[in-house]
Amino acid sequence: MRSLLRNIGFLAVLCTFSMLAGCIELTEPTIADEGGPSNESNAESEVTLRLGHVFAEDDPIHKSTVMIADLAKEYSDGELQIDVYSNSQLGGERELVEGVQMGMIDIGLAANAPVTNFIPSLVYWDFPYLVDSIEHMERIEDDESIMGALQADFENNNLVNLGIQYGGFRQITNSVRPIETLEDFKGINIRLLESEVMISTFENIPGTRTSNMAFSELYSGLQQGVVNAQENPLNSIYSMKFFEVQDYLSLTNHFFTTRYYLMNADRFELLSDKQQEALVRATEEVMQLHKEELFAEEEHLLEILEEEGMEINEVSDEFVDEFRTKMKETVYPKFYDVVGNGDEKAGQKLIEEIEALR
């Protein structure tokens, strides 16, 4: 699949679709013909699906999502119409996952952290410094055993994972001081995703307070001093204009963000084989291109953020080693039984398998 994605014609499609932006009228999801359970019986149906995410329309994540919608329509010969709702119009990430599970939303894009509220065993994706490079993540994704277990967890919860989105490494911004040592976290009140692992990670750093708030409310929370720090990938730091309310950006790479395009399994089964194949193909192809675009633009984003007045520093190898060692002793073991669905040894074994792929 990856070799197909790099052909010149598809890149031209990317350039075209990345510029698309438009207003979408809210409608209920409809399937023209739901007369029977057979996929083939719906082969000629025109289907409208609602897809929600929390990002701004100028974020690469929104643009790639729009591209999925356009390609799914193309590959299905016009049978699939996907209406994309940005900026938390259909709810925050937790609400999106819940809505998809209940069949109220057809497709939701959500980070791993809120998904763990419904599938706790996936908490390992939020372990600090577990994934240490893009190449490492690609090897994990190519591992049939690890990915098979991931897909089984989704299937057991009435969800279909259409594709994994690389969200990038998360970096810390704050309005107090540059983060260069663990001692620099004293006095930091950091907003985190709703993840027990992430919260436990920072609670194990002395002097650090943690808070939770919706992504859509984070800018005002930083502006009003409700929190004085946050952590996100660079594209979100830029697109949400956090540089306007934060002075310091520390490149820590402490968590790697994975997101999923999740679809209600019952709704997916109502699609014809042709429509299913079109949707999965579009998602997989765009996710590869999104990954390439996301990391290719990081240097440019750093230049822009510095021009906007942020003081940027990259943490040392010693910082990473101390952080990782501390969390492997205090955080990892707390969640082995959760990762292993009640089997602590199985959970630890999975983490060791991921580490061995570095």
Side-chain angles (χ1 to χ4, degrees), residues 111-116 122-130 170 193-198 201 254-258 331-332:
N112 185 75
V115 174
T116 61
L122 299 186
V123 293
Y124 60 92
W125 289 110
D126 296 332
F127 277 22
Y129 289 112
L130 179 60
R170 302 179 78 86
L193 288 170
E194 194 174 354
S195 160
E196 288 188 37
V197 170
M198 292 182 173
T201 295
H254 54 287
F255 298 129
F256 184 80
T257 300
T258 54
V331 176
Y332 283 33

Side-chain angles (χ1 to χ4, degrees), residues 12-165:
V13 175
L14 172 66
C15 294
T16 300
F17 288 139
S18 65
M19 296 183 293
L20 292 177
C23 297
I24 302 174
E25 184 179 347
L26 184 65
T27 58
E28 289 299 315
T30 58
I31 292 185
D33 178 11
E34 298 185 51
S38 168
N39 285 351
E40 294 304 322
S41 70
N42 288 331
E44 302 302 322
S45 300
E46 292 185 3
V47 180
T48 298
L49 302 173
R50 293 194 301 167
L51 188 161
H53 67 74
V54 300
F55 298 93
E57 292 192 359
D58 60 352
D59 192 291
I61 293 172
H62 173 73
K63 294 175 182 178
S64 64
T65 302
V66 170
M67 188 178 177
I68 290 173
D70 290 323
L71 288 180
K73 184 174 184 177
E74 176 186 334
Y75 294 159
S76 66
D77 296 322
E79 293 179 14
L80 282 180
Q81 171 67 41
I82 301 177
D83 294 342
V84 178
Y85 298 92
S86 59
N87 281 307
S88 305
Q89 292 180 69
L90 300 184
E93 290 186 317
R94 179 169 182 157
E95 289 76 24
L96 288 174
V97 178
E98 187 174 24
V100 169
Q101 270 198 320
M102 297 174 64
M104 298 172 64
I105 300 170
D106 299 306
I107 305 172
L109 174 63
N112 185 75
V115 174
T116 61
N117 289 287
F118 306 91
I119 312 177
S121 59
L122 299 186
V123 293
Y124 60 92
W125 289 110
D126 296 332
F127 277 22
Y129 289 112
L130 179 60
V131 177
D132 66 358
S133 69
I134 300 306
E135 294 75 21
H136 182 209
M137 183 61 202
E138 288 177 336
R139 288 190 288 273
I140 297 170
E141 195 174 7
D142 288 339
D143 188 287
E144 293 183 3
S145 175
I146 296 173
M147 286 299 105
L150 175 68
Q151 297 296 59
D153 279 331
F154 285 124
E155 291 171 5
N156 292 335
N157 286 272
N158 200 40
L159 296 169
V160 173
N161 176 25
L162 299 173
I164 295 178
Q165 183 189 84

Side-chain angles (χ1 to χ4, degrees), residues 224-238:
Q224 297 167 13
V226 178
V227 292
N228 58 24
Q230 65 85 43
E231 48 87 58
N232 261 295
L234 289 176
N235 65 291
S236 295
I237 293 171
Y238 171 71

